Amino acid sequence: MTVSRTVELEGHIIDSGSMARCFGAVMDLGGEFDVEAFEVGRHKHEESYCRMTVSADTDGELRAIVHELNQNGATVADPRDATLEEAPADQVVPVDFYSTTNHPTEVRVDGEWLPVENVEMDCALVVEKGNDGSAPRVVTRVLNAIEAGDRVVTGETGIRVDPPERPRGKGSAFGFMQGGVSSERPSKSLIEEIAAEMRDVRDEDGSVLVVCGPAIVHSGGREALADLVRAGYIDALSAGNGFAVHDLERDLYGTSLGVDTETLEHPRKGHKHHIYTISEIGRAGGIEAAVEDEIVTSGVMYECIRNDVPYVLAGSIRDDGPLPDTITDAVEAQAAIREQAHEADLVLMLSTLLHSVAVGNCLPSTTKTVCVDINPATVTQLLDRGSAQAIGMVTDIGTFLPMLADELLEEV
């Protein structure tokens, strides 16, 4: 005896591939489907519709299939509200809690579809009661932020996800370049596209977040990035302890990880410069104090202080020091990164895999993302995290940043 549910798909489900993915998911998970209704959009602005019954041998198998279909945009054809269960304790969710994607999501509460606020992947959904008669809200909540009594969404009923669709027409690079990575791409034209987007974000009072790796300093891109911060094109910075240390080391000693970035020579005791730098900044009382005391007079961190650009330095087990400004509590660092990510309209991920993954986990799929790295595998991994609007460039960051700065600052 089998169990079954009816699901619906609507939108540009054919050319976007979502219908085929749903059919494949049912079969891969051992189920069967029966298409009850299928209406094909006959021009590029007309949407298609599919209703099908999905069946499986057990309730568990059916739940797994419906969950996978939900992630690909299918909605359970059921007018019921989402199922809510109270969290039994702090940091504990109900067994069948709904785990989010990074795509725009709606939840049906009291007969009304409510948009999920601050969408990000791998979170629970919590329905908060409105105060003073106001409407309820649906928010994402990381598991360690769950509190006893939170009303957590469970199951798949009353949830609909809007995954990205392949754009129609040429559009911008953020559309037609998505999903592919190649070092053969026309770098200059792509940089022009990125620069144009950054101008638009600035003109519309949006926010550009830059995620920085130490290779920016090692490869000679530091001055170009500092110029962009000073010119107002960067609104927030996220990095690890290493990036800030080497940026500051370059100012204090003219080296990055002990190597002179101009001559590529190894000065005597150069291998100690990074730890000397940490000591000097600690003695001053932090980066801001070092800038105010004119101990540090140039670089990316200097420009962030001088231009009130907020930054988050997230620590790791590998860090030397670390700097006084580095957040060493992992949960606290995650919360700070999450706040930056939720405010960003455009994110530049520059030569740092692990830190970019951390930021990318907090981003909705609708946030425009640029990833630049010399390693193709890094770019592919970051773009495959589900951004609907992404550019990937395999190139030297020391070449990319000066070209981007030239494009943006030529009008200044």
Side-chain angles (χ1 to χ4, degrees):
M1 186 174 183
T2 61
V3 288
S4 63
R5 296 291 295 273
T6 301
V7 300
E8 297 174 314
L9 280 161
E10 191 169 5
H12 299 295
I13 58 176
I14 301 175
D15 55 348
S16 69
S18 61
M19 188 172 72
R21 288 195 299 272
C22 286
F23 288 168
V26 174
M27 292 183 288
D28 290 345
L29 293 173
E32 297 181 357
F33 62 86
D34 178 26
V35 176
E36 299 177 352
F38 185 33
E39 300 172 7
V40 180
R42 299 186 181 279
H43 55 77
K44 68 178 182 179
H45 299 299
E46 188 172 294
E47 297 182 342
S48 300
Y49 171 81
C50 175
R51 186 176 70 250
M52 62 181 176
T53 297
V54 180
S55 57
D57 292 334
T58 67
D59 286 331
E61 290 176 351
L62 182 61
R63 281 197 301 271
I65 292 171
V66 172
H67 177 77
E68 189 65 27
L69 296 180
N70 176 272
Q71 312 299 287
N72 284 284
T75 303
V76 175
D78 192 327
R80 292 181 298 171
D81 289 344
T83 303
L84 307 181
E85 294 184 33
E86 290 191 356
D90 291 351
Q91 302 185 15
V92 179
V93 291
V95 173
D96 195 26
F97 81 100
Y98 178 83
S99 178
T100 59
T101 69
N102 61 345
H103 303 315
T105 303
E106 293 180 307
V107 175
R108 195 173 189 268
V109 180
D110 297 333
E112 182 179 358
W113 288 101
L114 303 178
V116 174
E117 300 177 17
N118 294 329
V119 170
E120 64 176 279
M121 66 175 66
D122 301 330
C123 291
L125 292 175
V126 173
V127 177
E128 297 183 345
K129 296 179 179 179
N131 296 324
D132 302 324
S134 59
R137 303 165 57 226
V138 185
V139 299
T140 54
R141 193 77 58 79
V142 291
L143 299 195
N144 61 35
I146 292 290
E147 298 180 354
D150 279 347
R151 299 194 299 165
V152 179
V153 177
T154 60
E156 312 294 333
T157 301
I159 304 166
R160 60 188 184 194
V161 177
D162 184 19
E165 296 179 342
R166 188 178 68 190
R168 294 167 177 272
K170 181 178 179 181
S172 72
F174 286 93
F176 72 85
M177 295 302 240
Q178 66 176 348
V181 178
S182 172
S183 57
E184 302 300 322
R185 292 282 167 80
S187 296
K188 189 176 188 304
S189 62
L190 275 181
I191 288 172
E192 289 172 353
E193 291 269 9
I194 295 166
E197 188 65 31
M198 291 177 69
R199 289 192 191 98
D200 289 344
V201 171
R202 186 185 63 169
D203 292 345
E204 296 171 5
D205 294 324
S207 178
V208 175
L209 169 64
V210 61
V211 186
C212 303
I216 292 173
V217 184
H218 305 334
S219 63
R222 169 183 179 265
E223 284 68 28
L225 182 55
D227 289 343
L228 293 177
V229 174
R230 184 169 57 252
Y233 284 104
I234 304 298
D235 301 287
L237 180 144
S238 183
N241 182 72
F243 168 78
V245 169
H246 298 307
D247 173 65
L248 296 164
E249 175 193 343
R250 178 66 177 82
D251 177 77
L252 295 177
Y253 296 98
T255 59
S256 176
L257 204 59
V259 178
D260 188 308
T261 56
E262 298 294 334
T263 66
L264 301 183
E265 295 178 351
H266 295 255
R268 184 172 178 272
K269 294 188 177 181
H271 63 287
K272 298 183 179 182
H273 286 174
H274 73 287
I275 203 70
Y276 289 165
T277 297
I278 295 168
S279 174
E280 290 299 310
I281 301 302
R283 185 176 295 110
I287 299 174
E288 182 174 2
V291 170
E292 295 301 326
D293 292 343
E294 298 184 353
I295 297 171
V296 173
T297 58
S298 70
V300 179
M301 302 310 300
Y302 172 85
E303 295 297 344
C304 285
I305 296 296
R306 285 299 187 208
N307 294 279
D308 295 322
V309 173
Y311 57 85
V312 172
L313 303 179
S316 76
I317 197 71
R318 308 182 308 276
D319 290 338
D320 292 318
L323 292 165
D325 304 68
T326 299
I327 303 173
T328 56
D329 183 293
V331 174
E332 182 183 347
Q334 284 180 354
I337 289 172
R338 183 167 288 109
E339 184 175 344
Q340 286 185 316
H342 289 169
E343 294 178 357
D345 299 292
L346 173 64
V347 179
L348 306 178
M349 298 178 173
L350 307 180
S351 292
T352 171
L353 172 60
L354 297 180
H355 210 81
S356 294
V357 167
V359 174
N361 284 346
C362 302
L363 294 174
S365 62
T366 51
T367 300
K368 292 181 178 179
T369 305
V370 177
C371 179
V372 182
D373 200 285
I374 197 67
N375 185 350
T378 296
V379 181
T380 300
Q381 181 172 340
L382 290 171
L383 264 61
D384 282 349
R385 301 194 71 75
S387 175
Q389 304 181 83
I391 292 176
M393 292 185 65
V394 179
T395 189
D396 174 30
I397 195 65
T399 301
F400 170 80
L401 277 170
M403 290 179 67
L404 179 63
D406 287 346
E407 181 69 31
L408 285 168
L409 303 178
E410 64 180 2
E411 62 192 46
V412 178

